[in-house]
Amino acid sequence: MDQKNDPSSQSVANAGYNRLRSIVDDNDINACLDEDSFFENEDEFGHGSITISEGDTNPDFIDGVACGTPWSVPSYMITALMRKPDTLDGLSKRDWPEELYKRIPEPDMLQCIMVVVADRKACEEGWVLFLAVNQKGEILPFRIRESADYAAQLIFNFMDGQCLDENTRDPKEDIEYYMRGGDGWAC
């Protein structure tokens, strides 16, 4: 049975998401982000949000876990950009540090926005997915999973000018990196 049609499974998923949101909210993230920066409508953004031909599955998710396929533009990214179409346009107003352009000479490798995904792994295990996105809306190869308690810190770091790839030696490496070991819920 599909999780969305199974009330008990959906109830567990909703409880996990509420737990995740309360941990992130406790870190004063709401003081820095507009509420319209949160996209929470499962019908628009959930793993079943795209209808593919019968029998096919959404390539953006495997069993409710976001794939984060490098150089793709996932369905949830398209939906989010349709709801906030000026997101990429407003980047020219950001005060980008000059050393960033020296460090990343290839424009397609430059992170313009960060997407935080609360997929099944985040809601069940506390491991939040962070995706770096370039000016074309494409996911960059280096992705991070961070524990729920430290998720807000990565958001604050990005708002302060730190890109996700500053956590690696090779930003071109196709990897989903866990920032710390142990339990994603551990605080």
Side-chain angles (χ1 to χ4, degrees):
M1 178 182 272
D2 183 354
Q3 178 180 349
K4 190 169 182 167
N5 296 325
D6 179 7
S8 64
S9 180
Q10 187 60 49
S11 176
V12 169
N14 289 343
Y17 179 75
N18 290 337
R19 178 180 182 191
L20 179 66
R21 249 332 264 277
S22 71
I23 291 170
V24 174
D25 288 349
D26 284 348
N27 288 307
D28 294 327
I29 199 69
N30 288 331
C32 298
L33 295 174
D34 297 328
E35 190 61 34
D36 65 345
S37 295
F38 293 92
F39 302 107
E40 299 177 305
N41 184 338
E42 186 183 350
D43 292 334
E44 288 182 292
F45 296 97
H47 71 275
S49 62
I50 289 274
T51 303
I52 316 268
S53 62
E54 189 160 332
D56 288 340
T57 57
N58 184 337
D60 300 330
F61 295 92
I62 295 176
D63 294 327
V65 177
C67 295
T69 307
W71 308 114
S72 72
V73 181
S75 58
Y76 52 85
M77 176 67 72
I78 294 169
T79 304
L81 290 172
M82 287 172 46
R83 293 217 9 229
K84 288 192 77 162
D86 60 341
T87 299
L88 290 173
D89 183 47
L91 295 172
S92 60
K93 296 175 185 162
R94 184 169 177 174
D95 188 20
W96 296 100
E98 190 173 314
E99 62 270 4
L100 183 63
Y101 293 104
K102 292 176 186 170
R103 188 173 59 83
I104 306 174
E106 303 169 46
D108 286 350
M109 286 296 296
L110 182 65
Q111 178 181 352
C112 292
I113 59 176
M114 184 167 63
V115 174
V116 183
V117 180
D119 59 0
R120 175 176 272 172
K121 186 173 282 293
C123 294
E124 290 179 357
E125 300 173 24
W127 292 109
V128 181
L129 178 62
F130 288 81
L131 304 172
V133 177
N134 68 13
Q135 81 282 1
K136 297 177 182 177
E138 299 168 329
I139 295 174
L140 297 176
F142 182 72
R143 300 158 325 270
I144 289 180
R145 287 274 180 183
E146 179 57 282
S147 65
D149 196 47
Y150 289 95
Q153 186 60 51
L154 276 181
I155 295 169
F156 292 135
N157 290 350
F158 179 71
M159 292 171 66
D160 208 23
Q162 181 184 28
C163 294
L164 286 180
D165 70 0
E166 291 182 41
N167 294 289
T168 183
R169 291 177 191 222
D170 184 5
K172 294 180 181 179
E173 184 179 10
D174 179 0
I175 186 171
E176 188 173 292
Y177 178 76
Y178 283 72
M179 289 293 286
R180 57 196 85 252
D183 182 4
W185 292 118
C187 298

